[in-house]
Amino acid sequence: MILRDTFLEINLDALTHNISEMKKMVGAEVAVMAVIKADAYSTGAAEVVETLMENGADFLGVAILIEGLEIRKKYKNYPILVMGYTSNECLEKAIENDLRITVFSEEQAKLISEISIKENIITKIHIKYDTGLHRLGFSDNEESLEAIERISKLRNIELEGIFSHFALNSKEKDRIQFEKFTEAIKILDIKGVTFKYKHMCDGISTIERPEYRLNMVRPGAPLYGIKTFSEGDFDIKQVMTFKTRISQIHEIKKGETVGYMEGWTAEKDSLIGTLQFGYADGYPRKMQGGAFVTIKDKKVQIVGFLCMDQCMVDLTEVPLAKVGDEVIIFGDGKNNTMTTKDIAIAANTGQNDIITRIGRRTPRIYKKNNQIIKSRYYLLD
Ligand SMILES: *Cc1c(COP(=O)(O)O)cnc(C)c1O
């Protein structure tokens, strides 16, 4: 029994396929840091990291401290990098939990060193180097390189990695960023400052720009079947299918309206289906060009305004539809299903935005060999 009609189905075989294809593509010399931020792009980080680590991932990347702590609670040994900012007051927590910290200030490195000496731990850190995104990182200049050199001499700190991030503005600008990064690494190397891992590529650049992989890559979206890249031939499989069921069917007369504020008026006698998801489940409320779901392999339109928890669809062209029938909100695009890309385009946003909005009240249902093997109910944790 699934305790809600609306749920996100996660195909662990597809996830296994994607991570192992990723590892195969980059080769044994390049470490794969599977990015599992935002609850592994809504697939449920704590439930999927094992599949990732057992099928090709060497490392895990999270955006913020508590995402790392969530995984650490369950898995003691997985190497985890907190790729974003960790505040000074939280450093101790990160260190005690064996999380790699991203460092872009000498002051913070000194604090990490002090705490690590006190606790008698060697803390591994990754230096963040800004090459043009201007989000986080040491500025690209001589003073920064000197500061990094001084950091390398601090006690109880191991400079395990150095990384940067592409702005993905254009091929030419990416190349300039990459050259700045490798030049900085070269200068540091001459100073005797070396790193086990050097990394710059996110998912898109890992696939599209193999020459920038260095010895570690940080793919996120492609692992979860989100195809945001446009070049390269990475064989990707759909991981997530967002499903619900029909809860009621109304026959309405020409001229009657559906939903709040007469959001839709029937131009002829119509069949209206009610579905159990709304904007509180992350579905965009504003969809230019119409929102569709798929019932019995037919695309049907959501009519009227989306409610917080429900919405209505025009079933007139699917007269055989009945209460309890499965509805695909998004899937792999086959059999007339909407993809996350279709929804993102209609909502004038990106695919990651669409999937990361799926909230806590949507159960995650995990399938392997077409069998449900586990589920996650955040509200019942
Ligand atoms: C999110 C993120 C990634 C992964 O990006 P995708 O586009 O999902 O592949 C990699 N590196 C950093 C620093 C990130 O924040």
Side-chain angles (χ1 to χ4, degrees), residues 205-248:
S205 41
T206 299
I207 295 163
E208 295 187 354
R209 323 286 323 152
E211 65 275 28
Y212 297 157
R213 285 175 194 159
L214 298 168
N215 71 347
M216 180 179 253
V217 292
R218 305 187 305 268
L223 302 179
Y224 309 102
I226 304 298
K227 190 169 185 283
T228 43
F229 53 93
S230 47
E231 297 170 29
D233 56 341
F234 179 64
D235 178 25
I236 194 170
K237 281 202 161 80
Q238 184 76 15
V239 173
M240 287 178 255
T241 312
F242 198 11
K243 293 182 171 178
T244 189
R245 292 183 189 284
I246 299 173
S247 46
Q248 195 180 0

mmCIF file of all heavy atoms in Angstrom, residues 205-248:
data_model
loop_
_atom_site.group_PDB
_atom_site.id
_atom_site.type_symbol
_atom_site.label_atom_id
_atom_site.label_comp_id
_atom_site.label_asym_id
_atom_site.label_seq_id
_atom_site.Cartn_x
_atom_site.Cartn_y
_atom_site.Cartn_z
ATOM 1 N N SER A 205 29.318 20.064 -18.152
ATOM 2 C CA SER A 205 30.675 20.184 -18.688
ATOM 3 C C SER A 205 31.412 18.846 -18.676
ATOM 4 O O SER A 205 32.265 18.606 -19.534
ATOM 5 C CB SER A 205 31.461 21.278 -17.968
ATOM 6 O OG SER A 205 31.226 21.270 -16.594
ATOM 7 N N THR A 206 31.084 17.961 -17.742
ATOM 8 C CA THR A 206 31.703 16.623 -17.761
ATOM 9 C C THR A 206 31.388 15.924 -19.081
ATOM 10 O O THR A 206 32.253 15.289 -19.690
ATOM 11 C CB THR A 206 31.155 15.752 -16.604
ATOM 12 O OG1 THR A 206 31.468 16.379 -15.373
ATOM 13 C CG2 THR A 206 31.754 14.357 -16.630
ATOM 14 N N ILE A 207 30.140 16.062 -19.517
ATOM 15 C CA ILE A 207 29.703 15.356 -20.723
ATOM 16 C C ILE A 207 30.143 16.094 -21.987
ATOM 17 O O ILE A 207 30.654 15.493 -22.931
ATOM 18 C CB ILE A 207 28.165 15.175 -20.689
ATOM 19 C CG1 ILE A 207 27.786 14.265 -19.515
ATOM 20 C CG2 ILE A 207 27.649 14.603 -22.004
ATOM 21 C CD1 ILE A 207 26.327 14.325 -19.118
ATOM 22 N N GLU A 208 30.000 17.417 -21.975
ATOM 23 C CA GLU A 208 30.266 18.178 -23.199
ATOM 24 C C GLU A 208 31.737 18.543 -23.397
ATOM 25 O O GLU A 208 32.167 18.768 -24.519
ATOM 26 C CB GLU A 208 29.421 19.465 -23.192
ATOM 27 C CG GLU A 208 27.924 19.209 -23.262
ATOM 28 C CD GLU A 208 27.119 20.483 -23.430
ATOM 29 O OE1 GLU A 208 27.706 21.582 -23.374
ATOM 30 O OE2 GLU A 208 25.891 20.370 -23.621
ATOM 31 N N ARG A 209 32.485 18.679 -22.304
ATOM 32 C CA ARG A 209 33.862 19.157 -22.421
ATOM 33 C C ARG A 209 34.833 18.203 -21.720
ATOM 34 O O ARG A 209 35.363 18.525 -20.652
ATOM 35 C CB ARG A 209 34.021 20.562 -21.791
ATOM 36 C CG ARG A 209 32.881 21.521 -21.970
ATOM 37 C CD ARG A 209 32.720 22.111 -23.338
ATOM 38 N NE ARG A 209 33.916 22.424 -24.059
ATOM 39 C CZ ARG A 209 33.942 22.412 -25.389
ATOM 40 N NH1 ARG A 209 32.881 22.053 -26.086
ATOM 41 N NH2 ARG A 209 35.046 22.752 -26.016
ATOM 42 N N PRO A 210 35.035 17.024 -22.307
ATOM 43 C CA PRO A 210 35.880 16.022 -21.636
ATOM 44 C C PRO A 210 37.284 16.541 -21.309
ATOM 45 O O PRO A 210 37.904 16.072 -20.358
ATOM 46 C CB PRO A 210 35.933 14.869 -22.627
ATOM 47 C CG PRO A 210 35.298 15.353 -23.874
ATOM 48 C CD PRO A 210 34.473 16.540 -23.565
ATOM 49 N N GLU A 211 37.759 17.519 -22.089
ATOM 50 C CA GLU A 211 39.133 18.000 -21.870
ATOM 51 C C GLU A 211 39.268 18.803 -20.573
ATOM 52 O O GLU A 211 40.358 19.149 -20.173
ATOM 53 C CB GLU A 211 39.614 18.811 -23.082
ATOM 54 C CG GLU A 211 38.869 20.106 -23.346
ATOM 55 C CD GLU A 211 37.581 19.945 -24.178
ATOM 56 O OE1 GLU A 211 36.950 18.868 -24.128
ATOM 57 O OE2 GLU A 211 37.207 20.927 -24.847
ATOM 58 N N TYR A 212 38.163 19.077 -19.910
ATOM 59 C CA TYR A 212 38.228 19.857 -18.668
ATOM 60 C C TYR A 212 38.006 19.015 -17.408
ATOM 61 O O TYR A 212 37.830 19.548 -16.328
ATOM 62 C CB TYR A 212 37.156 20.972 -18.695
ATOM 63 C CG TYR A 212 37.324 22.009 -19.777
ATOM 64 C CD1 TYR A 212 36.233 22.753 -20.220
ATOM 65 C CD2 TYR A 212 38.571 22.260 -20.350
ATOM 66 C CE1 TYR A 212 36.374 23.713 -21.217
ATOM 67 C CE2 TYR A 212 38.710 23.209 -21.354
ATOM 68 C CZ TYR A 212 37.609 23.928 -21.781
ATOM 69 O OH TYR A 212 37.746 24.874 -22.764
ATOM 70 N N ARG A 213 38.027 17.700 -17.571
ATOM 71 C CA ARG A 213 37.650 16.853 -16.428
ATOM 72 C C ARG A 213 38.693 16.810 -15.310
ATOM 73 O O ARG A 213 38.366 16.447 -14.183
ATOM 74 C CB ARG A 213 37.392 15.424 -16.905
ATOM 75 C CG ARG A 213 36.070 15.303 -17.618
ATOM 76 C CD ARG A 213 35.904 13.891 -18.179
ATOM 77 N NE ARG A 213 34.817 13.841 -19.142
ATOM 78 C CZ ARG A 213 34.679 12.914 -20.073
ATOM 79 N NH1 ARG A 213 35.594 11.953 -20.180
ATOM 80 N NH2 ARG A 213 33.667 12.951 -20.907
ATOM 81 N N LEU A 214 39.971 17.126 -15.624
ATOM 82 C CA LEU A 214 41.041 17.007 -14.632
ATOM 83 C C LEU A 214 40.977 15.617 -13.981
ATOM 84 O O LEU A 214 40.785 14.657 -14.709
ATOM 85 C CB LEU A 214 40.940 18.149 -13.613
ATOM 86 C CG LEU A 214 41.112 19.548 -14.267
ATOM 87 C CD1 LEU A 214 40.713 20.667 -13.321
ATOM 88 C CD2 LEU A 214 42.538 19.736 -14.786
ATOM 89 N N ASN A 215 41.066 15.513 -12.644
ATOM 90 C CA ASN A 215 40.981 14.144 -12.105
ATOM 91 C C ASN A 215 39.796 13.921 -11.175
ATOM 92 O O ASN A 215 39.763 12.970 -10.405
ATOM 93 C CB ASN A 215 42.298 13.706 -11.443
ATOM 94 C CG ASN A 215 42.542 14.442 -10.141
ATOM 95 O OD1 ASN A 215 41.876 15.438 -9.853
ATOM 96 N ND2 ASN A 215 43.479 13.963 -9.357
ATOM 97 N N MET A 216 38.814 14.837 -11.288
ATOM 98 C CA MET A 216 37.558 14.612 -10.572
ATOM 99 C C MET A 216 36.465 15.406 -11.280
ATOM 100 O O MET A 216 36.722 16.499 -11.797
ATOM 101 C CB MET A 216 37.678 15.058 -9.113
ATOM 102 C CG MET A 216 36.421 14.859 -8.290
ATOM 103 S SD MET A 216 36.601 15.381 -6.563
ATOM 104 C CE MET A 216 36.670 13.810 -5.736
ATOM 105 N N VAL A 217 35.254 14.843 -11.308
ATOM 106 C CA VAL A 217 34.116 15.567 -11.881
ATOM 107 C C VAL A 217 32.972 15.561 -10.876
ATOM 108 O O VAL A 217 32.913 14.703 -9.990
ATOM 109 C CB VAL A 217 33.663 14.949 -13.230
ATOM 110 C CG1 VAL A 217 34.724 15.158 -14.298
ATOM 111 C CG2 VAL A 217 33.348 13.456 -13.078
ATOM 112 N N ARG A 218 32.073 16.538 -11.029
ATOM 113 C CA ARG A 218 30.977 16.679 -10.052
ATOM 114 C C ARG A 218 29.603 16.682 -10.750
ATOM 115 O O ARG A 218 28.916 17.694 -10.768
ATOM 116 C CB ARG A 218 31.126 18.002 -9.277
ATOM 117 C CG ARG A 218 32.455 18.212 -8.575
ATOM 118 C CD ARG A 218 32.398 19.468 -7.707
ATOM 119 N NE ARG A 218 31.997 20.652 -8.447
ATOM 120 C CZ ARG A 218 32.827 21.511 -9.040
ATOM 121 N NH1 ARG A 218 34.136 21.337 -8.957
ATOM 122 N NH2 ARG A 218 32.360 22.557 -9.691
ATOM 123 N N PRO A 219 29.199 15.549 -11.303
ATOM 124 C CA PRO A 219 27.889 15.540 -11.962
ATOM 125 C C PRO A 219 26.747 15.448 -10.953
ATOM 126 O O PRO A 219 26.854 14.758 -9.936
ATOM 127 C CB PRO A 219 27.941 14.270 -12.812
ATOM 128 C CG PRO A 219 28.858 13.363 -12.059
ATOM 129 C CD PRO A 219 29.878 14.244 -11.398
ATOM 130 N N GLY A 220 25.671 16.135 -11.263
ATOM 131 C CA GLY A 220 24.457 16.048 -10.453
ATOM 132 C C GLY A 220 23.306 15.615 -11.339
ATOM 133 O O GLY A 220 23.026 14.416 -11.507
ATOM 134 N N ALA A 221 22.659 16.595 -11.977
ATOM 135 C CA ALA A 221 21.440 16.357 -12.754
ATOM 136 C C ALA A 221 21.478 15.118 -13.671
ATOM 137 O O ALA A 221 20.522 14.323 -13.646
ATOM 138 C CB ALA A 221 21.097 17.614 -13.558
ATOM 139 N N PRO A 222 22.537 14.899 -14.455
ATOM 140 C CA PRO A 222 22.496 13.763 -15.389
ATOM 141 C C PRO A 222 22.353 12.413 -14.686
ATOM 142 O O PRO A 222 21.774 11.478 -15.245
ATOM 143 C CB PRO A 222 23.835 13.832 -16.134
ATOM 144 C CG PRO A 222 24.431 15.142 -15.820
ATOM 145 C CD PRO A 222 23.776 15.689 -14.598
ATOM 146 N N LEU A 223 22.868 12.324 -13.458
ATOM 147 C CA LEU A 223 22.748 11.050 -12.740
ATOM 148 C C LEU A 223 21.294 10.712 -12.472
ATOM 149 O O LEU A 223 20.908 9.538 -12.421
ATOM 150 C CB LEU A 223 23.500 11.115 -11.402
ATOM 151 C CG LEU A 223 24.986 11.451 -11.475
ATOM 152 C CD1 LEU A 223 25.570 11.493 -10.065
ATOM 153 C CD2 LEU A 223 25.727 10.435 -12.338
ATOM 154 N N TYR A 224 20.497 11.761 -12.305
ATOM 155 C CA TYR A 224 19.085 11.549 -11.965
ATOM 156 C C TYR A 224 18.202 11.554 -13.209
ATOM 157 O O TYR A 224 16.983 11.678 -13.114
ATOM 158 C CB TYR A 224 18.641 12.624 -10.962
ATOM 159 C CG TYR A 224 19.602 12.692 -9.793
ATOM 160 C CD1 TYR A 224 20.561 13.692 -9.715
ATOM 161 C CD2 TYR A 224 19.592 11.689 -8.826
ATOM 162 C CE1 TYR A 224 21.487 13.709 -8.671
ATOM 163 C CE2 TYR A 224 20.518 11.699 -7.792
ATOM 164 C CZ TYR A 224 21.457 12.711 -7.716
ATOM 165 O OH TYR A 224 22.377 12.708 -6.705
ATOM 166 N N GLY A 225 18.851 11.444 -14.360
ATOM 167 C CA GLY A 225 18.105 11.348 -15.608
ATOM 168 C C GLY A 225 17.646 12.687 -16.154
ATOM 169 O O GLY A 225 16.801 12.735 -17.048
ATOM 170 N N ILE A 226 18.190 13.764 -15.599
ATOM 171 C CA ILE A 226 17.807 15.099 -16.067
ATOM 172 C C ILE A 226 18.769 15.498 -17.179
ATOM 173 O O ILE A 226 19.959 15.720 -16.943
ATOM 174 C CB ILE A 226 17.874 16.129 -14.916
ATOM 175 C CG1 ILE A 226 17.002 15.673 -13.746
ATOM 176 C CG2 ILE A 226 17.471 17.521 -15.399
ATOM 177 C CD1 ILE A 226 15.535 15.554 -14.067
ATOM 178 N N LYS A 227 18.220 15.569 -18.385
ATOM 179 C CA LYS A 227 19.086 15.825 -19.537
ATOM 180 C C LYS A 227 19.168 17.323 -19.795
ATOM 181 O O LYS A 227 18.280 17.902 -20.404
ATOM 182 C CB LYS A 227 18.544 15.084 -20.766
ATOM 183 C CG LYS A 227 19.482 15.095 -21.938
ATOM 184 C CD LYS A 227 19.033 14.143 -23.043
ATOM 185 C CE LYS A 227 20.037 14.063 -24.171
ATOM 186 N NZ LYS A 227 20.036 15.182 -25.098
ATOM 187 N N THR A 228 20.238 17.927 -19.287
ATOM 188 C CA THR A 228 20.415 19.362 -19.507
ATOM 189 C C THR A 228 21.536 19.614 -20.515
ATOM 190 O O THR A 228 21.683 20.726 -21.003
ATOM 191 C CB THR A 228 20.749 20.084 -18.182
ATOM 192 O OG1 THR A 228 21.700 19.299 -17.460
ATOM 193 C CG2 THR A 228 19.512 20.253 -17.331
ATOM 194 N N PHE A 229 22.297 18.575 -20.819
ATOM 195 C CA PHE A 229 23.389 18.746 -21.785
ATOM 196 C C PHE A 229 22.845 18.643 -23.193
ATOM 197 O O PHE A 229 21.806 18.019 -23.421
ATOM 198 C CB PHE A 229 24.485 17.693 -21.553
ATOM 199 C CG PHE A 229 23.973 16.277 -21.524
ATOM 200 C CD1 PHE A 229 23.962 15.498 -22.674
ATOM 201 C CD2 PHE A 229 23.489 15.722 -20.350
ATOM 202 C CE1 PHE A 229 23.490 14.193 -22.648
ATOM 203 C CE2 PHE A 229 23.000 14.412 -20.316
ATOM 204 C CZ PHE A 229 22.999 13.656 -21.470
ATOM 205 N N SER A 230 23.552 19.268 -24.139
ATOM 206 C CA SER A 230 23.053 19.244 -25.507
ATOM 207 C C SER A 230 24.027 18.562 -26.464
ATOM 208 O O SER A 230 23.678 18.230 -27.586
ATOM 209 C CB SER A 230 22.760 20.662 -25.987
ATOM 210 O OG SER A 230 23.827 21.507 -25.677
ATOM 211 N N GLU A 231 25.272 18.377 -26.020
ATOM 212 C CA GLU A 231 26.230 17.670 -26.859
ATOM 213 C C GLU A 231 26.736 16.446 -26.101
ATOM 214 O O GLU A 231 26.408 16.251 -24.938
ATOM 215 C CB GLU A 231 27.450 18.563 -27.154
ATOM 216 C CG GLU A 231 27.136 19.803 -27.927
ATOM 217 C CD GLU A 231 28.340 20.726 -27.960
ATOM 218 O OE1 GLU A 231 29.475 20.234 -27.901
ATOM 219 O OE2 GLU A 231 28.122 21.938 -28.026
ATOM 220 N N GLY A 232 27.605 15.705 -26.770
ATOM 221 C CA GLY A 232 28.179 14.533 -26.123
ATOM 222 C C GLY A 232 27.177 13.399 -26.147
ATOM 223 O O GLY A 232 25.972 13.630 -26.247
ATOM 224 N N ASP A 233 27.674 12.153 -26.091
ATOM 225 C CA ASP A 233 26.708 11.064 -26.128
ATOM 226 C C ASP A 233 26.762 10.270 -24.833
ATOM 227 O O ASP A 233 27.378 9.225 -24.745
ATOM 228 C CB ASP A 233 26.892 10.177 -27.364
ATOM 229 C CG ASP A 233 28.294 9.612 -27.464
ATOM 230 O OD1 ASP A 233 29.199 10.166 -26.813
ATOM 231 O OD2 ASP A 233 28.482 8.618 -28.161
ATOM 232 N N PHE A 234 26.143 10.837 -23.824
ATOM 233 C CA PHE A 234 26.003 10.144 -22.553
ATOM 234 C C PHE A 234 24.659 9.455 -22.562
ATOM 235 O O PHE A 234 23.622 10.077 -22.765
ATOM 236 C CB PHE A 234 26.102 11.158 -21.405
ATOM 237 C CG PHE A 234 25.935 10.536 -20.047
ATOM 238 C CD1 PHE A 234 26.853 9.602 -19.587
ATOM 239 C CD2 PHE A 234 24.883 10.892 -19.229
ATOM 240 C CE1 PHE A 234 26.707 9.020 -18.339
ATOM 241 C CE2 PHE A 234 24.726 10.312 -17.979
ATOM 242 C CZ PHE A 234 25.643 9.376 -17.529
ATOM 243 N N ASP A 235 24.705 8.126 -22.386
ATOM 244 C CA ASP A 235 23.476 7.327 -22.461
ATOM 245 C C ASP A 235 22.734 7.438 -21.131
ATOM 246 O O ASP A 235 23.086 6.800 -20.148
ATOM 247 C CB ASP A 235 23.863 5.874 -22.773
ATOM 248 C CG ASP A 235 22.645 4.981 -22.818
ATOM 249 O OD1 ASP A 235 21.540 5.490 -23.088
ATOM 250 O OD2 ASP A 235 22.802 3.771 -22.564
ATOM 251 N N ILE A 236 21.696 8.255 -21.128
ATOM 252 C CA ILE A 236 21.010 8.597 -19.885
ATOM 253 C C ILE A 236 19.655 7.895 -19.822
ATOM 254 O O ILE A 236 18.979 7.736 -20.835
ATOM 255 C CB ILE A 236 20.858 10.142 -19.813
ATOM 256 C CG1 ILE A 236 20.473 10.615 -18.416
ATOM 257 C CG2 ILE A 236 19.862 10.660 -20.824
ATOM 258 C CD1 ILE A 236 20.566 12.138 -18.288
ATOM 259 N N LYS A 237 19.299 7.456 -18.626
ATOM 260 C CA LYS A 237 17.979 6.811 -18.461
ATOM 261 C C LYS A 237 17.158 7.618 -17.461
ATOM 262 O O LYS A 237 17.683 8.164 -16.490
ATOM 263 C CB LYS A 237 18.153 5.385 -17.934
ATOM 264 C CG LYS A 237 18.564 4.379 -18.998
ATOM 265 C CD LYS A 237 18.196 2.959 -18.537
ATOM 266 C CE LYS A 237 18.134 1.978 -19.680
ATOM 267 N NZ LYS A 237 19.408 1.476 -20.139
ATOM 268 N N GLN A 238 15.860 7.645 -17.692
ATOM 269 C CA GLN A 238 14.931 8.363 -16.823
ATOM 270 C C GLN A 238 14.890 7.709 -15.441
ATOM 271 O O GLN A 238 14.719 6.493 -15.326
ATOM 272 C CB GLN A 238 13.537 8.343 -17.463
ATOM 273 C CG GLN A 238 12.498 9.137 -16.726
ATOM 274 C CD GLN A 238 12.658 10.635 -16.944
ATOM 275 O OE1 GLN A 238 13.362 11.060 -17.860
ATOM 276 N NE2 GLN A 238 12.012 11.420 -16.101
ATOM 277 N N VAL A 239 15.068 8.475 -14.404
ATOM 278 C CA VAL A 239 15.047 7.928 -13.043
ATOM 279 C C VAL A 239 13.706 8.201 -12.352
ATOM 280 O O VAL A 239 13.155 7.349 -11.670
ATOM 281 C CB VAL A 239 16.211 8.515 -12.208
ATOM 282 C CG1 VAL A 239 16.119 8.088 -10.745
ATOM 283 C CG2 VAL A 239 17.564 8.096 -12.796
ATOM 284 N N MET A 240 13.180 9.415 -12.555
ATOM 285 C CA MET A 240 11.996 9.821 -11.798
ATOM 286 C C MET A 240 10.725 9.798 -12.650
ATOM 287 O O MET A 240 10.728 10.291 -13.783
ATOM 288 C CB MET A 240 12.161 11.267 -11.315
ATOM 289 C CG MET A 240 13.147 11.406 -10.179
ATOM 290 S SD MET A 240 13.339 13.148 -9.716
ATOM 291 C CE MET A 240 14.942 13.487 -10.448
ATOM 292 N N THR A 241 9.669 9.251 -12.092
ATOM 293 C CA THR A 241 8.341 9.387 -12.692
ATOM 294 C C THR A 241 7.399 9.904 -11.603
ATOM 295 O O THR A 241 7.324 9.312 -10.526
ATOM 296 C CB THR A 241 7.826 8.033 -13.226
ATOM 297 O OG1 THR A 241 8.859 7.431 -14.004
ATOM 298 C CG2 THR A 241 6.592 8.225 -14.091
ATOM 299 N N PHE A 242 6.761 11.007 -11.893
ATOM 300 C CA PHE A 242 5.857 11.647 -10.931
ATOM 301 C C PHE A 242 4.442 11.186 -11.292
ATOM 302 O O PHE A 242 3.992 11.396 -12.421
ATOM 303 C CB PHE A 242 6.009 13.166 -11.066
ATOM 304 C CG PHE A 242 5.501 13.965 -9.897
ATOM 305 C CD1 PHE A 242 5.146 13.383 -8.690
ATOM 306 C CD2 PHE A 242 5.410 15.349 -10.006
ATOM 307 C CE1 PHE A 242 4.701 14.142 -7.622
ATOM 308 C CE2 PHE A 242 4.966 16.126 -8.948
ATOM 309 C CZ PHE A 242 4.604 15.523 -7.752
ATOM 310 N N LYS A 243 3.796 10.520 -10.340
ATOM 311 C CA LYS A 243 2.510 9.877 -10.657
ATOM 312 C C LYS A 243 1.414 10.302 -9.696
ATOM 313 O O LYS A 243 1.685 10.658 -8.557
ATOM 314 C CB LYS A 243 2.658 8.355 -10.524
ATOM 315 C CG LYS A 243 3.556 7.707 -11.546
ATOM 316 C CD LYS A 243 3.567 6.202 -11.322
ATOM 317 C CE LYS A 243 4.292 5.500 -12.474
ATOM 318 N NZ LYS A 243 4.345 4.050 -12.260
ATOM 319 N N THR A 244 0.184 10.170 -10.153
ATOM 320 C CA THR A 244 -0.948 10.301 -9.252
ATOM 321 C C THR A 244 -2.097 9.456 -9.811
ATOM 322 O O THR A 244 -1.893 8.648 -10.718
ATOM 323 C CB THR A 244 -1.349 11.787 -9.052
ATOM 324 O OG1 THR A 244 -2.310 11.870 -8.005
ATOM 325 C CG2 THR A 244 -1.898 12.424 -10.316
ATOM 326 N N ARG A 245 -3.304 9.623 -9.235
ATOM 327 C CA ARG A 245 -4.465 8.876 -9.707
ATOM 328 C C ARG A 245 -5.670 9.801 -9.800
ATOM 329 O O ARG A 245 -5.709 10.849 -9.161
ATOM 330 C CB ARG A 245 -4.807 7.740 -8.738
ATOM 331 C CG ARG A 245 -3.787 6.653 -8.720
ATOM 332 C CD ARG A 245 -4.205 5.532 -7.796
ATOM 333 N NE ARG A 245 -3.116 4.590 -7.630
ATOM 334 C CZ ARG A 245 -2.750 3.693 -8.545
ATOM 335 N NH1 ARG A 245 -3.417 3.580 -9.681
ATOM 336 N NH2 ARG A 245 -1.733 2.893 -8.341
ATOM 337 N N ILE A 246 -6.648 9.360 -10.580
ATOM 338 C CA ILE A 246 -7.901 10.128 -10.655
ATOM 339 C C ILE A 246 -8.715 9.846 -9.394
ATOM 340 O O ILE A 246 -8.917 8.691 -9.027
ATOM 341 C CB ILE A 246 -8.723 9.708 -11.898
ATOM 342 C CG1 ILE A 246 -7.927 9.976 -13.183
ATOM 343 C CG2 ILE A 246 -10.067 10.446 -11.921
ATOM 344 C CD1 ILE A 246 -8.607 9.422 -14.444
ATOM 345 N N SER A 247 -9.167 10.926 -8.723
ATOM 346 C CA SER A 247 -9.928 10.713 -7.488
ATOM 347 C C SER A 247 -11.436 10.867 -7.678
ATOM 348 O O SER A 247 -12.231 10.310 -6.920
ATOM 349 C CB SER A 247 -9.443 11.655 -6.392
ATOM 350 O OG SER A 247 -9.296 12.959 -6.890
ATOM 351 N N GLN A 248 -11.848 11.639 -8.676
ATOM 352 C CA GLN A 248 -13.286 11.747 -8.958
ATOM 353 C C GLN A 248 -13.469 12.200 -10.408
ATOM 354 O O GLN A 248 -12.583 12.852 -10.982
ATOM 355 C CB GLN A 248 -13.950 12.756 -8.006
ATOM 356 C CG GLN A 248 -15.478 12.634 -8.024
ATOM 357 C CD GLN A 248 -16.193 13.610 -7.108
ATOM 358 O OE1 GLN A 248 -15.590 14.418 -6.422
ATOM 359 N NE2 GLN A 248 -17.510 13.527 -7.118
#
